[in-house]
Amino acid sequence: MASSTKGSSVRETQKETRFKKTAEPVADADLLTVPEGWKEPGFTKDDNPRGLLEESSFATLFPKYREAYLKECWPLVEKALGETHVKGTLDLIEGSVTVSTTKKTFDPYAIVRARDLVKLLARSVPFEQAVRILQDDVACDIIKVGTVVRNRERFVKRRQRLIGPKGSTLKALELLTNCYVMVQGNTVSALGPFSGLKEVRKVVMDTMKNIHPIYNIKALMIKQELSRDAELKNQSWERFLPRFRQKNVSKRREPQKKSKKKEYTPFPPQPPESKVDRELASGEFFLQETEKKRMKLQEVKAKQAEQVSKRQEERKKAFVPPKEKVFVQKSLPKEEKLDIEALKVKVKKAKTKKLGAPPIPAPPTPLDKKKKKKKRGEL
């Protein structure tokens, strides 16, 4: 009796669940969307207690200039890999890094993350950013851009366009995609969530195909604003996104010297005169050989005489005196009679005016002389 009652109760519950499923249909959009705040549980040792069957390893080469940095941060790399039970070896002689699983490794995907960590370190990504690849919700993408553009100068120009002035374009791309982007040599290394990596790859490849990154950054900004609106979350955003058409603004270059087309004539051009025709016209054709030679010698002598006369004229130019300027004498002013007495008086006055000069006694007048003589006569 107990078993029958249990069987009937199970059937009833199954019927109720079926009825609920049919009564409340779930939308496809709700099934496809991931709820906010949901995080996938981590892979623990309980999920794989027996470990891995075989050992697997990956090796990566690194450039010479990264040797010093890898040597410095290698203890930190070993510590980070030790948490996932992955072994790492640094070979400075060959210039390679090898990662391999151990007997304690339980996560089969840990070796793939370790391989990505080593690749990022070799591509000049700092350890603080590269170590994030060991997290579950972080992935990386190494985009090879060296072979997209054939011309080296164009490639360098477009790579610099991706970086922007003082790295502003790259910083804006990092903020919009929540990814770390590193441009080094012929590759672009990106590190972050899967959705952001997809956008980074699109922007990088479009930039290498001569589409300015500002257009894609503007579209990403609009998408970020639209994602915050709950009503537009499940709608198409094509009507809001800008459509940039490629315009060929540059005009065709015109040549500096334009060749003018001649007028069309049905008759062919007149053939040039031959040597025989010229001799017939001048009458040389009927002359004897001796006369022809004599005429040629005369022409040569005439040319030589012309050249000699030209050389003599050029030599004579050095001996031709230059034209002298006509000297015009300026009319001197008429000599005026100088008053010597007046000049003497001026000089004496000037001497008295000088500082520290002794006073000059005034010249004796004829009256003073007479007085002195009278005094001497009285004595």
Side-chain angles (χ1 to χ4, degrees):
M1 291 292 288
S3 61
S4 63
T5 52
K6 281 181 182 179
S8 61
S9 63
V10 169
R11 286 170 190 169
E12 285 174 3
T13 52
Q14 284 177 355
K15 283 179 182 178
E16 285 175 3
T17 52
R18 284 175 190 171
F19 180 72
K20 281 180 183 177
K21 283 179 183 178
T22 53
E24 296 176 3
V26 182
D28 294 336
D30 295 336
L31 291 169
L32 293 169
T33 53
V34 180
E36 291 181 5
W38 181 84
K39 195 175 182 181
E40 192 174 346
F43 194 86
T44 58
K45 197 170 184 179
D46 297 333
D47 298 323
N48 188 16
R50 294 181 182 180
L52 304 175
L53 294 172
E54 291 184 5
E55 184 183 331
S56 57
S57 62
F58 289 101
T60 308
L61 296 170
F62 61 86
K64 184 74 176 175
Y65 63 86
R66 291 293 289 172
E67 186 178 324
Y69 183 78
L70 286 171
K71 196 176 178 181
E72 188 182 343
C73 72
W74 189 248
L76 296 170
V77 176
E78 283 185 332
K79 187 181 177 183
L81 292 172
E83 292 175 3
T84 56
H85 304 288
V86 177
K87 184 185 175 184
T89 53
L90 177 66
D91 191 352
L92 296 173
I93 298 165
E94 290 184 1
S96 64
V97 184
T98 310
V99 286
S100 56
T101 56
T102 58
K103 291 180 181 179
K104 292 182 180 180
T105 310
F106 60 87
D107 188 359
Y109 200 71
I111 187 65
V112 179
R113 290 201 187 108
R115 178 202 65 183
D116 292 340
L117 171 65
V118 170
K119 276 187 178 180
L120 290 169
L121 288 170
R123 294 313 309 157
S124 300
V125 177
F127 171 75
E128 292 79 10
Q129 293 290 340
V131 77
R132 288 170 52 208
I133 196 66
L134 300 175
Q135 299 172 14
D136 289 337
D137 56 344
V138 179
C140 75
D141 189 9
I142 297 170
I143 308 158
K144 293 179 182 178
V145 294
T147 55
V148 178
V149 186
R150 289 183 182 179
N151 193 349
R152 186 68 187 174
E153 289 180 4
R154 284 183 186 175
F155 166 71
V156 172
K157 224 179 241 184
R158 290 174 191 181
R159 185 180 63 182
Q160 187 59 37
R161 194 183 293 167
L162 178 66
I163 296 165
K166 297 180 182 179
S168 57
T169 309
L170 206 64
K171 189 67 180 174
L173 189 64
E174 287 178 358
L175 291 169
L176 289 166
T177 57
N178 296 324
C179 293
Y180 174 80
V181 185
M182 180 72 187
V183 181
Q184 177 68 23
N186 294 332
T187 57
V188 179
S189 306
L191 183 77
F194 290 98
S195 58
L197 291 174
K198 190 180 176 183
E199 296 292 343
V200 169
R201 178 172 272 275
K202 185 180 180 296
V203 173
V204 170
M205 294 308 291
D206 283 353
T207 306
M208 289 297 128
K209 290 173 184 175
N210 203 21
I211 297 169
H212 205 281
I214 198 68
Y215 299 135
N216 287 312
I217 286 168
K218 193 172 183 181
L220 285 170
M221 289 170 73
I222 293 164
K223 283 179 184 177
Q224 197 177 48
E225 291 293 326
L226 292 169
S227 63
R228 292 172 187 171
D229 196 348
E231 293 179 2
L232 300 168
K233 204 171 186 180
N234 299 322
Q235 293 181 15
S236 178
W237 295 344
E238 285 184 8
R239 53 185 174 152
F240 300 108
L241 297 175
R243 294 179 184 179
F244 300 105
R245 292 179 182 177
Q246 196 170 1
K247 292 179 182 179
N248 190 8
V249 182
S250 62
K251 294 180 180 178
R252 182 180 172 274
R253 291 181 181 177
E254 294 180 355
Q256 289 181 352
K257 294 180 180 178
K258 293 180 180 179
S259 58
K260 293 180 179 179
K261 288 185 178 180
K262 295 178 181 178
E263 292 182 1
Y264 173 73
T265 53
F267 306 104
Q270 195 174 359
E273 288 185 352
S274 64
K275 190 180 178 181
V276 178
D277 293 336
R278 275 186 262 119
E279 286 179 353
L280 284 166
S282 61
E284 277 183 55
F285 187 77
F286 304 103
L287 295 172
Q288 292 180 1
E289 288 294 324
T290 54
E291 289 180 354
K292 284 181 181 178
K293 285 180 182 179
R294 185 171 54 78
M295 287 180 74
K296 282 180 181 178
L297 281 169
Q298 285 177 357
E299 287 177 1
V300 169
K301 284 179 180 178
K303 284 181 181 178
Q304 285 176 352
E306 283 180 9
Q307 291 294 330
V308 169
S309 62
K310 281 181 182 178
R311 284 174 192 166
Q312 285 177 354
E313 284 176 3
E314 285 177 0
R315 285 173 186 171
K316 285 178 183 178
K317 281 179 183 178
F319 300 102
V320 175
K323 290 181 180 180
E324 293 183 358
K325 292 180 181 179
V326 180
F327 182 73
V328 181
Q329 273 192 348
K330 292 181 180 179
S331 58
L332 292 169
K334 291 179 181 179
E335 291 185 0
E336 295 178 358
K337 290 182 179 180
L338 295 170
D339 193 357
I340 296 164
E341 294 296 330
L343 281 169
K344 285 180 180 178
V345 173
K346 279 184 181 180
V347 170
K348 285 176 183 178
K349 282 182 180 178
K351 283 181 180 178
T352 53
K353 285 180 181 177
K354 285 182 182 177
L355 293 170
I360 297 166
T365 57
L367 292 170
D368 292 337
K369 287 178 181 179
K370 286 178 181 180
K371 284 179 181 178
K372 282 181 181 180
K373 283 180 182 180
K374 281 180 181 181
K375 282 180 181 180
R376 282 176 188 174
E378 287 174 1
L379 288 170

